Amino acid sequence: MTPPPEQVVELVRRLATSPWPTSEAERVAWFTQHGLPTHGRAAAEEGSTLSAHAAADGPPGWGTTQWHVFDDAFVGLCWFLWRDASDRETRAAAELLATAFDARWTLVERLDDPVQGFTALWSVDDVHVDLYFHAPRVTPHGHPIDSVVQLHVDHAARAATADAVAASAASPDRSYPDV
């Protein structure tokens, strides 16, 4: 499998345990240090001036590396791994990652679903490692979904802040004036 699960575990370990970048210059240096693409296709989130995503190919064999910036601070990065592997191989790789992460870090939560797969979250100081194994299935609209591993490494506090702002922007104002 490309990348080998052991290589994924090692990169995630290095990312999660290294000093987290704050500025764009620090992010570029950190990405360079870890062999990640430093510049990519940027796209601001619709309706947001604070949040932006970027994506680029790499490292070799990993497909697209995606990263998220909120309020000018680097939040985290994400991959979708092993799209071209068989379901059996993808599921085995996901379980290997989960077992390796369990051995290193505190498991916050794991949810298993016989149809959709599983998700697990680990806490590493100020960093969260979030793994989703998406099992192959057909959506209610009839669209087939192949198995894939979705992997996020995020600064926990920055991700929580970005999520809270996004949630408040998406929900209607429920406050009422004093009468």
Side-chain angles (χ1 to χ4, degrees), residues 47-115:
S48 174
T49 58
L50 296 176
S51 189
H53 287 85
D57 292 335
W62 286 62
T64 302
T65 298
Q66 302 172 33
W67 62 93
H68 181 204
V69 174
F70 179 78
D71 199 16
D72 294 326
F74 173 66
V75 174
L77 59 167
C78 165
W79 298 273
F80 288 86
L81 301 168
W82 305 305
R83 282 188 197 276
D84 297 331
S86 71
D87 172 51
R88 183 185 57 73
E89 291 172 317
T90 304
R91 185 180 303 265
E95 289 295 353
L96 190 148
L97 294 182
T99 299
F101 297 157
D102 280 344
R104 286 177 168 75
W105 304 313
T106 303
L107 177 65
V108 175
E109 178 177 54
R110 178 169 170 148
L111 302 171
D112 289 275
D113 182 287
V115 175

Side-chain angles (χ1 to χ4, degrees), residues 120-142:
L121 174 69
W122 293 268
S123 180
V124 189
D125 300 320
D126 294 334
V127 175
H128 280 166
V129 175
D130 209 352
L131 174 110
Y132 302 86
F133 167 66
H134 298 284
R137 61 189 182 281
V138 176
T139 68
H141 295 95

